Amino acid sequence: MTQRLLSLDAFRGFTIAAMVLVNNPGDWSHLYPQLEHAKWNGWTFTDTIFPFFLFIGGVSMALSLGRLAAAGVNKPILLRKLAVRALIIFMIGFLLNLIPNFNFAAVRIPGVLQRIALCTLLAAPIVVYCSWRQQMVWIAALLAGYGILMLGVDVPGFGAGVLEPGKDLGAHIDRLLLGNHLWVQSKTWDPEGLLSTMPALAGQLIGVLCGRWLLTATPRADQTIWMLLSGLLLLALGSILDAVLMPINKSLWTPSFCLWMSGWALIAFGAFYWLLDGTASEPVRARATRWTTPFVIYGMNALFIFALSGLIAKMLGFIKLTQPDGSLLSLGKVLYGPLQTLGLAPVNTSLLYALLFNALMFAIAYGMWRKQWYVKV
């Protein structure tokens, strides 16, 4: 299989749409619980989005490398292509962090795109040079190594194995290496810190294994079944680790979180794959294609929409407008004001704003799709 997977574009678009929705409420103090991150341990729908991106990135790596290898591209060139892609993604994320103040002395260095870039860079030699068995060893080693470090290494002032905000080994390393270039809401730890890139990389490699599986000559019905069964197995393993070793925790990206979310990613992608590329009946596939087409449109320019939505959100907060009483109000608050007069519950008003923001992003994605403008890196 070397052709483009409609199901992967749809899954990517679904994840982008979910990201735009949860990142852009009208009022951060009025949210449905599933539309915000878990406070610390545990998980919500919002916590699935980032690991889904990494899983999708892994599947895409395997499929694109398969196409390039079939075209005769040698391994050093493959590595260079992936390194350049990683650098571009990192710089986009870093630039978004710089806007609007361009304060290099205190800009946050980590971020979502930066982690995706780092995982892509670190995964590249593993994907290019290692067999699928060796990649499985890498996954196990990354998760086990991270767990051993987090639970066994003493952190000055806190001891070993303390998994509380700012007190774990990852936070200690981030403070030592990144100083005041951490998440502005804490400045003592970062949810996209350096050490927790290890299990995040493992999640991306699970996506790579899935992509390699899709490149085999295995019948699509069997591929779908094994994706779903593998997803259930990872959910079980994640649940066991959550109970006996380290809790499911996105901020720490614990091994249980990695396995749990990779399990959900396999199940969700498996469902898209069965509906759009697998063995669903023609009537079912036709109906599924109609409701998944908006996701496919989103998924065709995922990185562009990701960056643009972040830029627009920043501008809505940064641009200030003078009010009749002489006060200044952000453009976002000005646009939110009329929605507050509709008489909806505050949580629904906040959600409506997020849905309208999502509609704007989809309109842009749709226009690009109609013009066949695709931004690739």
Side-chain angles (χ1 to χ4, degrees):
M1 178 191 298
T2 57
Q3 73 272 24
R4 191 178 188 95
L5 285 178
L6 195 64
S7 54
L8 187 61
D9 284 327
F11 186 35
R12 184 187 293 111
F14 167 81
T15 307
I16 282 287
M19 182 274 296
V20 173
L21 179 71
V22 304
N23 280 358
N24 298 281
D27 186 345
W28 285 98
S29 62
H30 293 101
L31 299 173
Y32 282 101
Q34 289 298 318
L35 298 183
E36 60 180 327
H37 291 291
K39 300 304 181 185
W40 190 245
N41 294 335
W43 66 285
T44 67
F45 169 76
T46 300
D47 294 316
T48 68
I49 295 170
F50 194 178
F52 279 13
F53 277 131
L54 289 174
F55 175 86
I56 291 166
V59 176
S60 298
M61 283 183 73
L63 297 181
S64 62
L65 289 178
R67 285 191 289 267
L68 291 171
V73 179
N74 63 37
K75 292 180 178 181
I77 292 177
L78 293 178
L79 284 178
R80 186 164 64 248
K81 285 179 177 291
L82 290 171
V84 171
R85 173 178 170 80
L87 177 61
I88 293 172
I89 293 173
F90 184 93
M91 293 309 299
I92 292 171
F94 184 68
L95 180 61
L96 286 173
N97 284 356
L98 276 173
I99 296 171
N101 297 319
F102 289 90
N103 181 3
F104 284 90
V107 63
R108 182 190 179 201
I109 294 177
V112 171
L113 289 179
Q114 292 90 315
R115 169 161 284 181
I116 291 173
L118 187 55
C119 285
T120 299
L121 183 65
L122 295 174
I126 300 173
V127 176
V128 171
Y129 289 105
C130 294
S131 68
W132 68 268
R133 290 184 177 86
Q134 292 169 326
Q135 288 170 11
M136 290 188 69
V137 172
W138 269 104
I139 292 169
L142 286 165
L143 295 178
Y146 180 72
I148 291 169
L149 289 172
M150 290 288 283
L151 296 176
V153 176
D154 185 75
V155 177
F158 301 112
V162 179
L163 304 180
E164 298 177 13
K167 300 179 181 180
D168 62 279
L169 177 64
H172 177 64
I173 292 174
D174 289 338
R175 288 192 296 271
L176 287 176
L177 298 181
L178 300 177
N180 63 341
H181 295 282
L182 299 176
W183 189 39
V184 69
Q185 296 186 42
S186 70
K187 284 300 183 184
T188 60
W189 61 276
D190 198 293
E192 279 79 56
L194 294 172
L195 188 62
S196 58
T197 301
M198 291 174 64
L201 173 59
Q204 181 151 341
L205 291 175
I206 291 173
V208 169
L209 288 178
C210 178
R212 292 186 65 148
W213 172 244
L214 295 179
L215 287 170
T216 67
T218 306
R220 294 192 175 189
D222 292 345
Q223 289 177 337
T224 303
I225 291 171
W226 280 106
M227 273 194 280
L228 297 177
L229 290 176
S230 298
L232 291 173
L233 174 62
L234 292 184
L235 288 179
L237 291 175
S239 181
I240 292 170
L241 289 181
D242 174 59
V244 304
L245 188 62
M246 298 176 73
I248 292 173
N249 184 300
K250 176 190 176 294
S251 295
L252 299 177
W253 215 284
T254 53
S256 57
F257 176 81
C258 172
L259 294 174
W260 181 262
M261 291 303 170
S262 296
W264 280 118
L266 277 164
I267 291 171
F269 176 53
F272 276 105
Y273 183 73
W274 176 75
L275 285 170
L276 300 176
D277 292 302
T279 57
S281 66
E282 287 302 322
V284 170
R285 183 175 298 180
R287 290 194 296 271
T289 300
R290 286 196 293 271
W291 66 261
T292 57
T293 295
F295 293 142
V296 174
I297 293 171
Y298 248 145
M300 297 294 284
N301 276 298
L303 179 59
F304 178 82
I305 294 298
F306 188 115
L308 181 64
S309 65
L311 178 61
I312 291 176
K314 279 181 172 277
M315 291 299 100
L316 289 175
F318 176 71
I319 298 173
K320 306 293 183 182
L321 300 178
T322 303
Q323 302 305 296
D325 61 0
S327 62
L328 292 177
L329 201 62
S330 70
L331 178 56
K333 292 298 183 184
V334 171
L335 295 174
Y336 188 53
L339 299 182
Q340 293 177 295
T341 66
L342 297 177
L344 300 173
V347 69
N348 290 328
T349 307
S350 182
L351 176 60
L352 177 59
Y353 181 90
L355 291 170
L356 291 173
F357 190 99
N358 220 325
L360 171 64
M361 290 298 100
F362 177 75
I364 294 170
Y366 179 76
M368 296 177 70
W369 177 73
R370 287 292 301 269
K371 295 288 187 179
Q372 295 189 341
W373 294 344
Y374 303 121
V375 179
K376 303 293 184 183
V377 295

